[in-house]
């Protein structure tokens, strides 16, 4: 299918146009000022500026933070903002982020310096969350607008927003409403002041009227450009995550260091094995040390050939690939117990090229300390001298190597660099095992393992274990020991209800990390009505946060009631409803996720340590970084590096990693991008950035009004 990629207009174009220069001309390159690719973020400690800072951090975009609440902060004046380098004027920041349209006292010399700087260098300003008022190009909300909650409201990107910085969205911007008792959003909805050069990019209906009020819009006045945001948010809310890319692209003109994509990968653990089933009468799982049942054990859960057909058909319809994390002994045992027959393994091996495959060890053995399971919770066995008894290096070697051999004999398309140990064992597990098994790293070296899975809930930071680097995986809250929706809801009730409600009381004992349900779920409807929407929202939140870490479920979730699919459908279908084809989900295998995380960590360290400098002069972008480091940047489509196309297309731009040559990377912007002033595609007014700010009557009682932050 042919896809149309939109590109936003660039701030460099505004600068060149303002100086009366032609992009690409020798005269332009010799007289244009240097614009450093760094953002100035002025914070008042509120959630809006913190959210933008988090977005820049995650993408790897350099910024300087000035905290207005700190007494020893630097003064923002002309010298702080600009100087001269090699005889060329230098703007130290390509964009300015303020907590609102003017966070300084009346008559502030700092705001005057900022306004002069923005005019001189055509630097845009983001008002992270401001009250709707004429100084921001909007009418006071009391004049036919609205001030209040937007919980559950669906905002909409305007035609100008789609043609401009938010072109990666299909249009809908839903505002969260996760609790009927908690205010989650607050906004000022208003229309532009008469005569203001204001273009709404995102709007929502004004209650009680037929009008739309602006939530995000561009205000051009007095030779300056502002992105005016009139709703409060934090970095975790879906509405911000949907719009954050456009905010960054608007303020940088699509030319900045750092990059962001939307990722989703799903590992299916225990393939070929069977998972124990939750006992709804005993409220435990047979096989656990604290679960005994004299009346018999519920049947284990194992996929069937029909489940494989369903998985391959689902993948095809969703353009998605599972990573099957397998234990070969599961099939060997099945054949041993059934006269050599294992129809599931036969089907999976026949369809092996429909999936990616990862070694999960042969028997799923615990590879940390030797466990004493006669007590609850289990403890590590100890030697006579009190030291820990560890699973041996040879035992770990066998679990890795035998499973690998089994996989290769069956033609599985493995990558031998990758490993997921059973229960992520061998790595530290608090509180029982506060350190890695010292035999794990040598065994990984013996087997050439370079990427080792860890549990994000226990070990979220990427770290080195011998020759391997960890890749943290998000556990999805779809239980491994439930094959049906009623079993899932029953176990969920046990974990998340109080003792008085018949639950375990875990939520009462751990209120800081676990929230009790107000009442037990209906086991016939609770999974679909409560658990699925909650887990979908959590997982989609990871996707929208530029987070490549994989999620993991179990083979039991793909059989019987096939519990995983409603959540996965919610994530993928929900994503498709929000984003255009130019912004596809990125579905990587484990080693590629590990490489992405590793590169980010190296880049982030270099940026934070001041080892990266980047600037733009006319249509030329220069990045200076430690030699050999992989640099990441986002540029307009058509940008070249040494005459070749830079990066890959994503969300209407081009971005990617590239290694600097001798510590320097030079990029050339396309002439069309460098010569087009911002916002010319968004509206057809005459160039009006020099218009003065309009005046409007100030209504009684609002002269001192400041942005409102709900207590959530």
């Amino acid at each position: 299918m042919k896809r149309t990629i939109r590109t936003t207009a660039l701030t460099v174009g505004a600068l060149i146009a303002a100086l009366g220069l032609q992009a690409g001309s020798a005269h332009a390159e010799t007289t244009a000022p240097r614009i450093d690719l760094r953002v100035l973020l002025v914070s008042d400690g509120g959630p809006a500026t913190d959210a933008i800072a988090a977005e820049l951090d995650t993408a790897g975009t350099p910024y300087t933070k000035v905290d207005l609440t700190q007494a020893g902060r630097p003064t923002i004046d002309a010298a702080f903002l600009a100087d001269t380098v090699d005889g060329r004027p230098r703007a130290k920041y390509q964009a300015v982020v303020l907590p609102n349209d003017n966070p300084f006292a009346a008559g502030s010399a700092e705001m005057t310096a900022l306004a002069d700087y923005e005019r001189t260098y055509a630097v845009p300003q983001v008002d992270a969350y401001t009250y709707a008022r004429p100084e921001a190009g909007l009418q006071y909300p009391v004049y036919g607008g609205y001030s209040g909650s937007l919980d559950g409201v669906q905002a909409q990107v305007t035609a100008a927003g789609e043609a401009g910085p938010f072109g990666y969205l299909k249009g809908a911007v839903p505002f969260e409403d996760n609790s009927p008792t908690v205010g989650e959003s607050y906004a000022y909805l208003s229309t532009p002041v008469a005569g203001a050069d204001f273009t709404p990019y995102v709007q929502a209906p004004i209650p009680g009227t037929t009008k739309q009020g602006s939530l995000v819009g561009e205000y051009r006045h007095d030779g300056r450009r502002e992105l005016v945001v009139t709703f409060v948010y934090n970095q975790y809310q879906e509405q911000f995550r949907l719009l954050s890319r456009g905010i960054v692209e608007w303020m940088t003109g699509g030319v900045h260091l750092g990059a962001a994509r939307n990722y989703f990968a799903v590992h299916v653990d225990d393939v070929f094995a069977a998972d124990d089933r939750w006992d709804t009468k005993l409220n435990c799982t047979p096989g656990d040390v604290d679960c005994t049942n004299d009346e018999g054990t519920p049947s284990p859960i194992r996929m069937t050939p029909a489940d494989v057909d369903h998985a391959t058909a689902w993948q095809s319809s969703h353009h998605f690939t599972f990573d099957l994390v397998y234990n070969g002994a599961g099939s060997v045992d099945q054949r041993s117990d059934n006269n050599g027959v294992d129809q599931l393994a036969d089907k999976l091996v026949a369809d092996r090229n429909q999936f990616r495959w990862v070694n999960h060890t042969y028997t799923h053995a615990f590879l940390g300390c030797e466990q004493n399971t006669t007590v609850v919770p289990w403890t590590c066995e100890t030697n006579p001298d009190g030291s820990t008894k560890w699973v041996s290096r040879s035992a770990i070697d066998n679990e890795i190597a035998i499973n690998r051999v089994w996989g290769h004999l069956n033609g599985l398309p493995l990558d031998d660099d990758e490993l997921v140990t059973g229960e992520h064992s061998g790595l530290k597990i608090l509180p029982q095992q506060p350190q890695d098994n010292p035999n794990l790293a040598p065994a990984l070296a013996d087997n050439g393992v370079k990427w080792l899975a860890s549990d994000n809930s226990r070990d979220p930071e990427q770290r080195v274990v011998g020759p391997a680097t960890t890749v943290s995986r998000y556990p999805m809250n779809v239980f491994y020991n439930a094959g049906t929706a009623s079993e899932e809801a029953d176990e969920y009730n046990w974990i998340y209800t109080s003792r008085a409600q018949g639950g375990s009381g875990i939520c009462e004992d751990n209120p800081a990390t676990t929230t009790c349900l107000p009442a037990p779920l209906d086991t016939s409807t609770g999974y679909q009505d409560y658990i699925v929407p909650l887990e979908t929202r959590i997982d989609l939140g990871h996707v929208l946060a530029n987070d490549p870490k994989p999620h993991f479920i179990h083979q039991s979730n793909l059989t019987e009631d096939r519990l995983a699919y409603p959540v996965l459908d919610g994530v993928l279908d929900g994503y498709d409803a929000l984003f255009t084809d130019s912004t596809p989900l990125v579905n990587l295998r484990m080693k590629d996720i590990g490489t992405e995380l590793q590169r980010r960590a190296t880049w982030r360290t270099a940026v934070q340590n001041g080892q990266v400098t980047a600037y733009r002069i006319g249509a030329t972008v220069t990045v200076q970084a430690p030699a050999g480091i992989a640099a990441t940047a986002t540029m307009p489509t058509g940008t070249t590096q040494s005459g070749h196309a830079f990066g890959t297309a994503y969300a209407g731009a081009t971005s990617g990693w590239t290694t600097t040559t001798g510590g320097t990377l030079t990029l050339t912007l396309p002439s069309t991008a460098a010569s087009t002033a911002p916002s010319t595609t968004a509206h057809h007014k005459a160039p009006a950035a020099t218009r003065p700010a309009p005046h409007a009557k100030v209504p009684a009682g609002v002269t001192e009004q400041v942005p409102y932050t709900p207590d959530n």
Side-chain angles (χ1 to χ4, degrees):
M1 177 174 63
K2 182 178 179 181
R3 293 176 176 176
T4 301
I5 309 297
R6 298 185 179 94
T7 57
T8 57
L10 302 177
T11 300
V12 66
L15 180 58
I16 293 173
L19 296 174
L21 305 174
Q22 294 298 315
S25 70
H27 184 61
E29 294 294 328
T30 57
T31 61
R34 163 176 158 168
I35 310 293
D36 282 4
L37 301 190
R38 174 174 286 270
V39 174
L40 173 61
L41 189 140
V42 181
S43 172
D44 61 354
T49 49
D50 284 352
I52 294 176
E55 177 71 12
L56 298 175
D57 279 327
T58 303
T61 304
Y63 67 94
T64 295
K65 181 177 179 179
V66 175
D67 189 341
L68 296 178
T69 67
Q70 297 298 313
R73 70 171 179 86
T75 299
I76 301 173
D77 56 19
F80 180 82
L81 298 168
D83 59 10
T84 301
V85 174
D86 297 329
R88 185 187 298 272
R90 175 178 71 148
K92 298 180 182 180
Y93 309 101
Q94 65 179 136
V96 174
V97 177
L98 299 182
N100 53 66
D101 65 292
N102 185 353
F104 304 98
S108 166
E110 289 184 293
M111 192 66 229
T112 299
L114 277 169
D116 288 343
Y117 172 75
E118 292 169 9
R119 271 189 293 268
T120 300
Y121 294 99
V123 169
Q125 172 183 307
V126 173
D127 305 334
Y129 168 48
T130 194
Y131 180 56
R133 59 183 190 145
E135 290 84 350
L138 293 169
Q139 188 59 270
Y140 289 106
V142 295
Y143 294 140
Y146 170 76
S147 301
S149 172
L150 281 193
D151 291 5
V153 169
Q154 181 160 293
Q156 192 75 22
V157 178
T158 66
E162 291 180 354
F166 301 102
Y168 56 91
L169 294 174
K170 283 186 176 177
V173 182
F175 274 61
E176 292 183 352
D177 186 15
N178 302 319
S179 171
T181 61
V182 176
E184 300 163 39
S185 62
Y186 194 94
Y188 302 104
L189 292 173
S190 185
T191 55
V193 174
D197 187 0
F198 191 102
T199 304
Y201 288 149
V202 182
Q203 297 182 143
I206 297 175
T209 76
T210 59
K211 297 184 297 182
Q212 297 282 321
S214 178
L215 289 168
V216 182
E218 180 177 330
Y219 179 37
R220 295 159 63 95
H221 67 99
D222 298 326
R224 301 165 55 211
R225 298 168 55 235
E226 295 179 47
L227 192 71
V228 180
V229 183
T230 58
F231 70 95
V232 69
Y233 50 88
N234 64 51
Q235 62 180 294
Y236 305 105
Q237 291 181 298
E238 181 176 310
Q239 55 264 34
F240 171 71
R241 286 178 166 169
L242 289 173
L243 297 173
S244 57
R245 176 187 300 276
I247 292 172
V248 172
E249 295 308 296
W250 181 90
M251 71 181 178
T252 63
V255 179
H256 62 87
L257 297 183
R261 279 172 163 73
N262 297 330
Y263 300 87
F264 194 47
V266 177
H267 292 189
V268 183
D269 287 10
D270 303 350
V271 171
F272 298 119
D275 289 299
D276 293 328
R277 188 186 301 272
W278 174 254
D279 191 315
T280 58
K281 295 179 180 179
L282 297 178
N283 289 321
C284 59
T285 305
D288 291 351
V289 296
D290 58 344
C291 191
T292 58
N293 183 0
D294 295 334
E295 299 178 1
T297 300
S299 60
I301 310 166
R302 190 172 190 256
M303 290 175 66
T304 68
D307 297 322
V308 180
D309 286 336
H310 187 88
T312 56
W314 183 89
Q315 286 189 151
S316 178
S317 66
H318 288 80
H319 309 289
F320 191 84
T321 302
F322 286 128
D323 294 85
L324 300 189
V325 186
Y326 76 97
N327 307 104
S331 177
V332 173
D333 292 344
Q334 179 73 11
R335 293 189 190 281
S336 176
D337 295 341
N338 293 275
N339 298 316
V341 176
D342 185 1
Q343 294 179 347
L344 171 63
D346 292 343
K347 180 63 174 173
L348 280 168
V349 169
D351 291 350
R352 58 189 176 273
N353 292 322
Q354 302 298 313
F355 308 98
R356 295 189 290 253
W357 294 85
V358 184
N359 188 345
H360 196 28
T361 72
Y362 189 59
T363 69
H364 202 280
F366 189 84
L367 304 181
C369 63
E370 294 186 15
Q371 294 175 293
N372 173 12
T373 58
T374 64
V375 295
V376 180
W378 62 267
T379 61
C380 287
E381 296 276 13
T382 57
N383 297 305
D385 63 0
S387 61
T388 301
K389 282 187 177 181
W390 297 105
V391 173
S392 69
R393 176 176 177 175
S394 61
I396 300 173
D397 275 338
N398 286 339
E399 282 290 326
I400 299 170
I402 294 175
N403 203 50
R404 177 184 293 165
V405 169
W406 187 94
H408 284 307
L409 286 175
N410 283 277
L412 302 184
L414 293 175
D415 192 310
D416 291 343
D417 289 353
E418 303 172 334
L419 177 68
V420 181
T421 57
E423 300 178 57
H424 304 97
S425 59
L427 296 172
K428 61 184 179 181
I429 301 175
L430 297 176
Q432 296 103 316
Q433 185 192 312
Q435 67 180 94
D436 298 339
N437 182 344
N439 296 319
L440 177 64
L444 298 177
D446 294 340
N447 290 277
V449 175
K450 296 180 181 178
W451 303 104
L452 177 66
S454 64
D455 185 336
N456 192 77
S457 63
R458 300 193 312 236
D459 202 359
E461 298 301 322
Q462 192 173 45
R463 60 189 181 93
V464 173
V465 182
T469 302
T470 60
V471 178
S472 298
R473 306 190 304 164
Y474 285 112
M476 292 177 66
N477 210 14
V478 182
F479 302 139
Y480 81 96
N481 53 357
T484 67
S486 61
E487 291 169 350
E488 176 83 13
D490 183 86
E491 184 175 1
Y492 204 91
N493 284 339
W494 172 251
I495 296 172
Y496 294 108
T497 58
S498 65
R499 293 179 180 88
Q501 294 172 321
S504 64
I506 292 173
C507 54
E508 295 172 283
D509 299 338
N510 302 277
T513 57
T514 305
T515 302
C516 284
L517 289 170
L521 302 176
D522 184 327
T523 55
S524 63
T525 60
Y527 180 66
Q528 190 65 44
D529 292 348
Y530 181 87
I531 300 173
V532 168
L534 176 60
E535 186 60 28
T536 298
R537 176 169 59 85
I538 292 170
D539 299 337
L540 185 58
H542 298 153
V543 170
L544 301 183
N546 186 26
D547 189 345
K549 291 178 182 177
H551 295 72
F552 71 96
I553 55 175
H554 295 80
Q555 63 85 30
S556 52
N557 304 140
L558 301 186
T559 189
E560 298 187 12
D561 282 358
R562 297 171 176 163
L563 297 174
Y565 290 108
V567 175
L568 300 178
D569 286 340
V571 173
L572 297 182
D573 295 345
Y575 184 89
D576 286 344
L578 295 169
F579 290 89
T580 65
D581 290 341
S582 72
T583 314
L585 269 180
V586 180
N587 175 225
L588 301 177
R589 72 173 304 136
M590 188 168 124
K591 66 180 297 183
D592 297 322
I593 293 170
T595 299
E596 173 71 18
L597 292 171
Q598 195 173 56
R599 284 173 168 174
R600 289 189 190 189
T602 302
W603 175 254
R604 186 180 302 115
T605 298
V607 168
Q608 293 174 346
N609 291 342
Q611 297 174 290
V612 176
T613 300
Y615 56 89
R616 181 181 70 238
I617 298 175
T620 301
V621 173
T622 302
V623 182
Q624 296 170 333
I629 191 174
T632 180
T634 299
M635 297 286 148
T637 302
T639 297
T640 59
Q641 177 187 0
S642 302
H644 301 285
F646 167 76
T648 56
Y650 195 80
T654 186
S655 57
W657 294 94
T658 183
T659 302
T660 58
T661 302
T664 300
L665 168 67
T666 302
L667 302 174
T668 302
L669 302 176
S671 58
T672 53
S675 62
T676 305
S679 300
T680 56
T681 59
H683 54 76
H684 302 286
K685 294 183 180 180
T690 56
R691 288 184 182 178
H695 297 285
K697 180 181 178 182
V698 179
V702 299
T703 53
E704 301 299 324
Q705 190 156 357
V706 296
Y708 167 87
T709 300
D711 182 11
N712 58 3

